[in-house]
Amino acid sequence: MQINLKAHRVNRKQAAKIALLDAVVWLWLHQTNYDSLFTESFIDPAATLAIPGPIISIALVIGIGWARWDRIPKAVRIGVALTATLVTLGLVLEPLVAPSATLHAALTLLFVVICTFTALLRLETLAKCDDFSTLSVALSGSLLLFYLLDLGLLLVPRAVYDACIVGAPLVMLAGANNPAPRSTRLGPLPKKVRLSSPIVVPCLVGFATGLVVALGTVSMATSPSELFTHPAPLFLISQLLFLLLGVITAFGLDLRKATYFALINLCWGAGVTIGMIGREHFIPLPDPILVDLSSFVCLLTLVGFFAFSGIWVNTLGRTASMSRESAVEDVARKAGLTKRETEVASLLLEGRSLRIVQQELFISEGTARTHAKRIYAKLGIHSKQELIDYFKQNLPH
């Protein structure tokens, strides 16, 4: 239940795969959301419907929370990838085949919905990295590949550029059979944890990052000479740090990742929306101030992760663990288990063998086996799997 920042051997193969998938999806999101060759031709920036974004994000948070998803179902990932490609293709073909204001508005609204899901799936893809070192390498590689892919698109004929943008979302199919790890903690987070720094800070950072990105009028490079200024590297680094903070915190607290990622994605979208409204109705901020704001967001994210991770995550991880243990004790007491039988049941629920139970509780293996038999008899079950299922069904959700 804690973030481990110690050096591990980096899983280079996994880091390279995640970096490539993330870079392609990231490039697609930027090319289709900000001023680029694609948006200049096929999407009116004024009609990208910024307001429905947070509304869709709120619906997504509620939907995932109601469904109690711990990770996004395979069918959703496949559906999002295919729909994103079809919508992008529709935006390309609509003005050429059947120009229609109604059709364009419908495609644009569907595009906003799909972008919200895609941003969520991007976070879940990063969550497949099995340790901090691999995730850091993957994110660094993603930034490098983002620029290389962007440069490649600027050097190819326009028809190839359009084809790459249309087909980019299909890379999400590559990870459909490899879901992010499940959370092992049972039951809801206690209120103390829900309102704690590790959950609140990433949400605030996401809001601030989205706000600065929107105020900075991010655009994509339209020539190789603009590559490192559109968008500015500082904006991209802010986003990467925000993703790093969110993914690692989710692992550190063993949160239900789909719900948590939907929440921080909502905060990002809210920041973007307010930034766009401010940019539209108020005096634009000078570039030097925007640079200072971006620097502050980067610094805030770094401080939020490195300075607090060892304090907040360890402490709140223990709080969440204690909440689970208390719930297990309540179920055991109602089932008539003794204190010792409850201790044995708790260890069995963690996947420990009878030999480990014996060592943990300083009892003989025969005594451990006797306790297990009595537990099974009182609960009317016959195996460890049935024990796990019994507590899953009876613990509060």
Side-chain angles (χ1 to χ4, degrees):
M1 278 288 189
Q2 60 182 334
I3 291 176
N4 189 350
L5 297 180
K6 294 180 180 178
H8 292 285
R9 173 176 289 183
V10 175
N11 186 334
R12 291 186 178 85
K13 183 177 180 181
Q14 184 190 34
K17 180 180 178 180
I18 296 297
L20 180 59
L21 293 177
D22 183 65
V24 174
V25 173
W26 191 12
L27 186 72
W28 178 78
L29 283 168
H30 272 267
Q31 290 284 351
T32 54
N33 276 279
Y34 302 107
D35 295 336
S36 67
L37 294 176
F38 184 85
T39 54
E40 287 174 1
S41 301
F42 305 117
I43 298 180
D44 179 5
T48 52
L49 306 175
I51 298 301
I55 297 175
I56 294 166
S57 296
I58 291 172
L60 192 60
V61 173
I62 294 172
I64 291 177
W66 176 78
R68 297 198 177 279
W69 284 347
D70 186 32
R71 54 191 185 189
I72 306 301
K74 177 180 176 181
V76 173
R77 178 174 288 276
I78 294 174
V80 169
L82 295 177
T83 305
T85 294
L86 292 175
V87 170
T88 311
L89 180 61
L91 288 168
V92 171
L93 297 179
E94 179 263 332
L96 303 176
V97 178
S100 166
T102 302
L103 177 59
H104 185 78
L107 285 172
T108 304
L109 178 59
L110 185 55
F111 169 77
V112 174
V113 175
I114 291 302
C115 282
T116 303
F117 273 92
T118 302
L120 179 63
L121 290 175
R122 184 185 171 201
L123 276 159
E124 197 207 28
T125 297
L126 292 171
K128 294 174 184 177
C129 289
D130 52 12
D131 61 72
F132 174 75
S133 300
T134 301
L135 176 60
S136 300
V137 171
L139 284 171
S140 301
S142 176
L143 180 61
L144 176 61
L145 287 170
F146 177 90
Y147 277 112
L148 291 176
L149 291 171
D150 194 12
L151 175 62
L153 287 178
L154 294 174
L155 299 178
V156 299
R158 182 57 192 267
V160 177
Y161 168 93
D162 290 341
C164 290
I165 298 300
V166 169
L170 293 177
V171 301
M172 289 187 285
L173 296 175
N177 291 320
N178 180 28
R182 285 191 180 278
S183 167
T184 57
R185 193 189 62 79
L186 301 176
L189 283 173
K191 184 177 180 180
K192 181 179 180 181
V193 177
R194 290 199 305 270
L195 300 177
S196 61
S197 299
I199 293 181
V200 173
V201 169
C203 292
L204 292 176
V205 170
F207 177 84
T209 306
L211 180 66
V212 171
V213 166
L215 288 175
T217 59
V218 177
S219 60
M220 293 300 298
T222 56
S223 66
S225 62
E226 296 178 345
L227 192 61
F228 290 99
T229 57
H230 296 78
L234 204 55
F235 288 131
L236 301 180
I237 293 171
S238 294
Q239 293 181 58
L240 287 181
L241 290 173
F242 163 59
L243 296 179
L244 176 68
L245 178 63
V247 172
I248 294 297
T249 303
F251 271 111
L253 286 178
D254 200 18
L255 298 171
R256 291 182 182 274
K257 297 174 184 61
T259 306
Y260 177 69
F261 291 156
L263 177 63
I264 61 176
N265 187 55
L266 167 62
C267 294
W268 168 277
V272 170
T273 300
I274 291 177
M276 292 181 69
I277 293 173
R279 190 180 68 197
E280 197 72 28
H281 294 88
F282 300 98
I283 300 174
L285 293 175
D287 285 343
I289 294 179
L290 288 172
V291 170
D292 290 340
L293 281 174
S294 298
S295 301
F296 175 74
V297 170
C298 285
L299 179 61
L300 175 65
T301 311
L302 281 171
V303 170
F305 178 67
F306 290 107
F308 295 110
S309 62
I311 300 172
W312 351 296
V313 174
N314 294 350
T315 302
L316 292 166
R318 287 194 295 273
T319 302
S321 179
M322 289 169 62
S323 174
R324 177 183 180 277
E325 290 172 6
S326 177
V328 168
E329 288 174 2
D330 288 342
V331 173
R333 185 169 56 253
K334 291 177 182 178
L337 300 188
T338 66
K339 183 178 179 181
R340 178 62 82 181
E341 287 168 352
T342 300
E343 293 174 347
V344 172
S346 296
L347 291 172
L348 292 175
L349 287 172
E350 294 176 2
R352 309 295 179 89
S353 65
L354 287 176
R355 184 179 294 277
I356 299 299
V357 171
Q358 165 204 346
Q359 295 172 356
E360 290 275 346
L361 301 180
F362 302 102
I363 58 179
S364 68
E365 189 171 351
T367 302
R369 187 175 291 107
T370 299
H371 283 310
K373 288 180 180 179
R374 288 175 179 170
I375 292 169
Y376 292 171
K378 289 181 179 181
L379 301 182
I381 58 178
H382 304 89
S383 66
K384 186 188 293 186
Q385 184 58 52
E386 289 183 5
L387 175 70
I388 294 172
D389 293 340
Y390 178 90
F391 276 86
K392 275 187 177 181
Q393 293 168 6
N394 288 280
L395 285 173
H397 294 289

